[in-house]
Amino acid sequence: MKRSRFSEEQIIAILKEHEAGMPTADVCRRHGISSATFYKYKAKFGGLDVSEARRLRALEDENAKLKKLLAEAMLDNAVLKDLTSKKW
């Protein structure tokens, strides 16, 4: 998945500008993002602090690593079952 060109701190700063009363269209134009991207950021990072956003990113990375390890283990298990089920 493509990484965002904005860090968590920058995304939260963009959302705080909107919360301060700046219209959505102006915030999007000022930072060069689409309104869909803005609302995606708002859904993901709305109401979070910078430290919470960093923790969220760390948990997502850890979760992705664990999913990859599980998929590899399941593949190895399937290969071993396939080999042992065949009659020599």
Side-chain angles (χ1 to χ4, degrees):
M1 191 168 129
K2 184 179 175 186
R3 289 295 229 193
S4 174
R5 66 179 180 164
F6 296 109
S7 66
E8 292 92 0
E9 297 88 2
Q10 291 170 326
I11 293 170
I12 291 172
I14 291 169
L15 294 175
K16 288 194 186 285
E17 283 181 20
H18 180 260
E19 290 173 3
M22 195 173 197
T24 305
D26 291 344
V27 172
C28 293
R29 190 177 315 112
R30 181 170 179 222
H31 295 285
I33 58 174
S34 68
S35 59
T37 302
F38 174 80
Y39 287 114
K40 183 178 71 169
Y41 288 163
K42 188 174 181 181
K44 187 172 182 180
F45 295 106
L48 294 181
D49 293 329
V50 175
S51 61
E52 293 170 339
R54 285 185 184 150
R55 179 73 179 141
L56 176 66
R57 177 69 56 102
L59 288 173
E60 287 174 346
D61 291 342
E62 182 181 0
N63 192 22
K65 188 185 298 182
L66 290 173
K67 282 183 179 181
K68 184 177 179 183
L69 287 173
L70 178 64
E72 290 173 356
M74 289 176 70
L75 181 64
D76 290 343
N77 193 7
V79 168
L80 289 174
K81 280 184 180 179
D82 188 38
L83 286 176
T84 57
S85 67
K86 291 183 179 179
K87 293 185 180 179
W88 294 93

